[in-house]
Amino acid sequence: MLERLNLQQSDIDALRARPIPAQHLWIDGRACAAADGATMPVASPIDGACLGHIPLAGEADVARATAAARRAFDSGVWSRSAPVFRKRVLLRLADLIEAEAPALTVLGVRDNGTEFAMALKAEAGSAVASLRYYAEAIDKTGGQIAPSDPARLALIHREPVGVVGAITPWNFPLMIGAWKIAPALAAGNTVVMKPPETASLSTLRLVELAHEAGLPPGVLNVVTGPGQITGRALALSMDVDVLVFTGAGGTGRKLLEYAAQSNLKRVYLELGGKSANVVFDDAPDLAVAAQAAAAAIFRNAGQVCVAGSRLLVQRKIADAFTEALTRAAEALRVGDPLDLSHDIGAVHGPERLASNLAMVDAARAEGARLITGGTALHQASGGSYMAPTVLADVAAHHRLFQTEVFGPVLAVTAFDTEAEAVALANDSALALAAGVWTGSLSRAHRMVQAVRAGVVHVNCYGGTDLTVPMGGQKQSGNGYDRSLLALEKFTNHKTAWIQL
Ligand code: NAD
């Protein structure tokens, strides 16, 4: 349906001109302020303008939210309701999001800077799809009767776990938020969500719509504020049974510590990537591969966890391929993400822009060769923009090869043999995604087996679907979002022995 909207620039301009309403925490079905009235400003990466203020929830507010979630869970109003009831509410929520997808997308883009076309599909579109997928799944999945001793009946019940804490990142807050809350709520849990402090607005609208859809009070609560205050309090809560997180590896480590310091809650982490996109000289269409390699790193200004940020290219074609890729990079129009003539939007704020540029300087100091980009753009706008950047001659020991930039910066490394390509691809502590371009079916299968990653694309890169899991290997994470597997995070299996 979203594809058929055919939005014009004037529609987007009208939505952008809408004032942003005052923002509230959502606790126990009610909009409220932080107990001490604290707030924090929100700046747009598009032009640096202040979009308003969000509440800064402290420990007391988080405690109120987790207590509300616990009460709602224990009451059974949601956790013991018929699956078909939960399904109806979640489907209504999906319809409400779909009905205001353009407005919700513009609000989110003002907050995080993603190019509008991508955000419409990836944010509102994915949220709708996730809610429908898990709503439809939940009255079709059940427990089991075990093939056990016939004198006794062994039942395996599926139960919701309890209170879920969900902490989300700014690059796709609505999509990733929905990947957490849709299966959690469908399975009967209650949730306290902490969206990213620099991109909370779309989540705060989502929780309003959830209540409009008929979600009982206390079932979905949202607390906003900085990670070190609000997120930390949620992760340390004795009332949270499962913590689901997407974000940086360093934060993930802290969450494991908080779980150890509190109630040993289950912690599921979806973390960063430094994904290798491997191009062999027998790739069927090098022009297509070059375009795709540019899209793999530069869409959303490189702020995509599965971005193909390391390009490994066979030496024989390395120069020609890098040239084609550079042409594709230089053709991308970077600028205001709400201007439909732009392909790539903003970097998420001045600190991220500075750290991207510092990474380029560090790479050059280590001997990498700057091919294109490496500069800030549109500085007079007050926003944060960066030219798509390609660096060649990046060696495996360079920082740029090993560290996630999370910006529009591509590291290019040449290789000679398939074995060398595998070794380079796997020479990373991170293992989220990979790409392989080859005309050989056997080589494609060998590479899929040999490369450590949660997903390997062959002769394509990116594209997502709810039917398949998404999760990292090594230090890229320990859980799965999407697919029926995600329900497992939010489900306990309880055995009952019945003597016959
Ligand atoms: P981040 O870890 O800085 O922040 C993510 C969330 O954690 C935010 O809500 C933040 O407020 C919160 N947080 C920060 N410190 C905290 C603390 N001490 N206690 C509790 N909560 C805390 O990450 P980010 O900059 O928002 O996101 C970028 C990272 O996320 C990148 O590494 C990217 O690759 C990764 N990411 C991974 C996936 C995936 O599916 N694997 C998807 C998107 C982004």
Side-chain angles (χ1 to χ4, degrees), residues 462-480:
T464 131
D465 188 316
L466 277 162
T467 59
V468 292
M470 167 162 176
Q473 298 190 7
K474 297 195 203 171
Q475 292 179 36
S476 283
N478 65 1
Y480 294 111

Side-chain angles (χ1 to χ4, degrees), residues 167-171 176 194-197 227 231-232 245-248 251 254-255 258 270-273 305 352 404 406 432 470:
I167 302 181
T168 51
W170 49 262
N171 63 334
I176 293 171
K194 209 277 314 159
E197 58 272 38
R232 180 175 179 276
F245 170 75
T246 297
T251 311
K254 286 188 192 151
L255 299 185
Y258 299 152
E270 304 294 334
L271 307 173
C305 56
R352 291 221 68 89
E404 183 186 43
F406 217 51
L432 194 54
M470 167 162 176

Side-chain angles (χ1 to χ4, degrees), residues 17 48 59 74 82 106 191 373 454:
E59 274 179 37
D74 289 347
V106 169
V191 177

Side-chain angles (χ1 to χ4, degrees), residues 70 161-165 238-243 263-266:
R70 174 63 59 198
V161 180
V163 175
V164 173
M238 299 296 285
D239 253 329
V240 170
D241 301 297
V242 183
L243 188 65
N263 60 346
L264 293 176
K265 55 180 68 66
R266 295 187 203 167

Side-chain angles (χ1 to χ4, degrees), residues 169-221:
W170 49 262
N171 63 334
F172 294 105
L174 211 51
M175 171 176 80
I176 293 171
W179 286 350
K180 315 284 188 209
I181 65 168
L185 293 175
N189 300 276
T190 59
V191 177
V192 179
M193 206 172 171
K194 209 277 314 159
E197 58 272 38
T198 54
S200 293
L201 301 182
S202 55
T203 306
L204 287 167
R205 180 64 188 142
L206 175 134
V207 66
E208 265 181 299
L209 294 176
H211 288 91
E212 224 175 292
L215 203 70
V219 172
L220 176 61
N221 309 273

